[in-house]
């Protein structure tokens, strides 16, 4: 597939208009239209519905959007990689170390890892499990090259790409009075005084505020470093935990109920990297992940 055609097609989808897409790409509307028509001939089907209103992708077009974003991201990363080699900067000899806090960014995380492995089959990928205290420390201590963490990190020397934005939930024992609200949800006022599990003193402040909804003060007797710690204590009725909505999908646990917190600010999962990291594989992984998040983010946050 011609990448120029894919770029024109994707611009029309995002702008919902041929003229605006042409302006964005510094092309004529006729050239953009021709690119899309050539793609449609190549695939043998209509990719866009051209009605009187906004231009929208057909069923086949929606399928192509995901592939187009991933292919264009990989192509851009490849250009940067080759340019680095041309400037005489050899790629680092090691592979890529991917840090993942609990379930990462839901479906985006395994999709990104698999896409990278397909794009760079000769590069070893190591997955490193991170605990709740390792938002930035694993990156700063050079133990990982990229990290799927939560919530949004704002720290010197760290760059982040927001991947999902999700509703908040609390994890409570099935014997808790709040368990009956698993369908309809609760409000912050209903959960702020729950005995949330303690965190180690070295836990970064953003994660502490995130877990305790900033104002919670009660603490359970148990300390938690990872989802297993949370779920075993919650199921035993020894405290409560909180997280993103996708947590419930990844960690079903006997004796534990997940309750939506309706008025809590939505929180994000992010991909964190070191600012200006020269590692070419980091740039490639980041480009692929951001492209996939645009396609899967809404699904992952459901």
């Amino acid at each position: 597939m011609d990448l120029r055609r894919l770029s024109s097609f994707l611009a029309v989808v995002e702008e919902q208009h041929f003229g605006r897409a042409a302006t964005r790409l510094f092309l004529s509307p006729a050239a953009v239209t021709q690119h899309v028509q050539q793609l449609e001939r190549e695939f043998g089907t209509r990719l866009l519905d051209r009605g009187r209103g906004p231009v929208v992708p057909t069923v086949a077009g929606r399928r192509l959007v995901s592939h187009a974003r991933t292919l264009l991201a990989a192509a851009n990363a490849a250009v940067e990689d080759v340019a680095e080699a041309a400037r005489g900067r050899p790629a680092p000899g090691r592979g890529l170390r991917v840090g993942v806090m609990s379930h990462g960014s839901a479906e985006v995380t395994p999709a990104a890892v698999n896409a990278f492995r397909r794009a760079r089959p000769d590069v070893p990928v190591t997955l490193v499990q991170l605990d709740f205290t390792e938002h930035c420390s694993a990156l700063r201590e050079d133990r990982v090259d990229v990290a799927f963490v939560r919530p949004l990190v704002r720290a010197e020397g760290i760059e982040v790409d927001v991947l999902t934005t999700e509703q908040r939930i609390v994890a409570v024992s099935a014997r808790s009075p709040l368990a009956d609200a698993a369908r309809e949800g609760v409000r912050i006022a209903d959960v702020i005084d729950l005995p949330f599990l303690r965190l180690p003193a070295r836990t970064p402040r953003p994660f502490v505020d995130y877990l305790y909804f900033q104002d919670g003060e009660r603490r359970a007797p148990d300390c938690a470093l990872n989802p297993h710690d949370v779920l075993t204590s919650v199921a035993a009725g020894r405290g409560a935990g909180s997280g993103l909505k996708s947590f419930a999908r990844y960690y079903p646990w006997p004796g534990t109920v997940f309750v939506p917190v309706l008025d809590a600010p939505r929180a994000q999962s992010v991909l964190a990297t070191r600012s200006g990291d020269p590692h070419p594989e980091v740039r490639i992984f980041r480009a692929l992940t951001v492209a996939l998040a645009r396609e899967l983010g809404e699904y992952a946050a459901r």
Side-chain angles (χ1 to χ4, degrees):
M1 283 177 284
D2 190 313
L3 294 180
R4 293 173 302 171
R5 298 173 187 172
L6 287 177
S7 182
S8 291
F9 164 75
L10 195 56
V12 174
V13 170
E14 293 175 348
E15 298 292 341
Q16 298 185 316
H17 192 275
F18 278 87
R20 289 196 296 270
T23 299
R24 170 172 145 183
L25 296 173
F26 300 100
L27 295 173
S28 69
V32 172
T33 300
Q34 185 180 40
H35 286 166
V36 172
Q37 290 174 339
Q38 288 168 335
L39 272 180
E40 289 180 326
R41 286 196 295 271
E42 186 175 347
F43 284 103
T45 186
R46 278 191 313 113
L47 299 172
L48 297 172
D49 279 331
R50 304 162 174 83
R52 291 185 178 181
V55 179
V56 296
T58 62
V59 173
R62 289 196 296 271
R63 292 280 186 92
L64 181 59
V65 166
S66 175
H67 296 297
R69 284 177 174 150
T70 303
L71 287 168
L72 289 170
N76 290 335
V79 169
E80 292 185 10
D81 191 21
V82 173
E84 287 285 344
R87 287 195 290 268
R89 299 177 184 175
R94 58 177 167 80
L96 188 76
R97 301 163 299 171
V98 181
V100 184
M101 179 185 289
S102 64
H103 67 297
S105 294
E107 285 77 7
V108 176
T109 297
V113 172
N114 289 332
F116 180 83
R117 282 175 166 154
R118 289 193 296 271
R120 306 288 282 178
D122 297 330
V123 177
V125 176
T126 303
L127 298 181
V128 180
Q129 193 64 48
L130 304 179
D131 65 39
F132 295 152
T133 71
E134 296 177 295
H135 277 85
C136 302
S137 59
L139 283 167
R140 285 179 170 151
E141 295 167 10
D142 196 26
R143 290 185 282 114
V144 300
D145 302 301
V146 299
F148 290 94
V149 298
R150 68 179 61 80
L152 178 65
V153 177
R154 298 191 187 281
E156 185 177 354
I158 301 295
E159 294 183 16
V160 298
D161 297 292
V162 174
L163 304 180
T164 68
T165 300
E166 302 183 42
Q167 184 181 54
R168 296 297 307 282
I169 61 166
V170 291
V172 297
S173 166
R175 300 185 299 277
S176 167
L178 291 181
D180 293 336
R183 287 186 178 275
E184 62 268 26
V186 295
R187 306 187 76 78
I188 289 181
D190 300 317
V191 303
I192 201 66
D193 290 327
L194 286 175
F196 288 105
L197 294 164
R198 292 184 297 107
L199 293 169
R202 66 181 184 277
T203 306
R205 187 71 200 184
F207 192 85
V208 174
D209 290 342
Y210 157 81
L211 179 66
Y212 301 142
F213 296 96
Q214 292 191 312
D215 298 321
E217 295 182 354
R218 290 188 63 196
R219 299 292 180 266
D222 296 346
C223 185
L225 271 174
N226 54 56
H228 185 271
D229 292 344
V230 172
L231 294 166
T232 52
S233 292
V234 169
R238 293 178 58 82
S242 75
L244 302 179
K245 186 177 180 181
S246 58
F247 185 94
R249 201 164 63 251
Y250 276 76
Y251 295 103
W253 199 270
T256 299
V257 175
F258 301 100
V259 183
V261 184
L262 304 177
D263 61 341
R266 293 168 73 85
Q268 288 117 357
S269 70
V270 303
L271 181 71
T273 54
R274 286 180 287 271
S275 298
D277 193 327
H279 194 343
E281 308 304 344
V282 169
R283 291 200 300 276
I284 294 171
F285 188 89
R286 185 177 177 183
L288 289 170
T289 302
V290 170
L292 286 164
R294 294 185 66 178
E295 204 58 38
L296 296 174
E298 184 176 343
Y299 170 77
R302 76 189 194 282

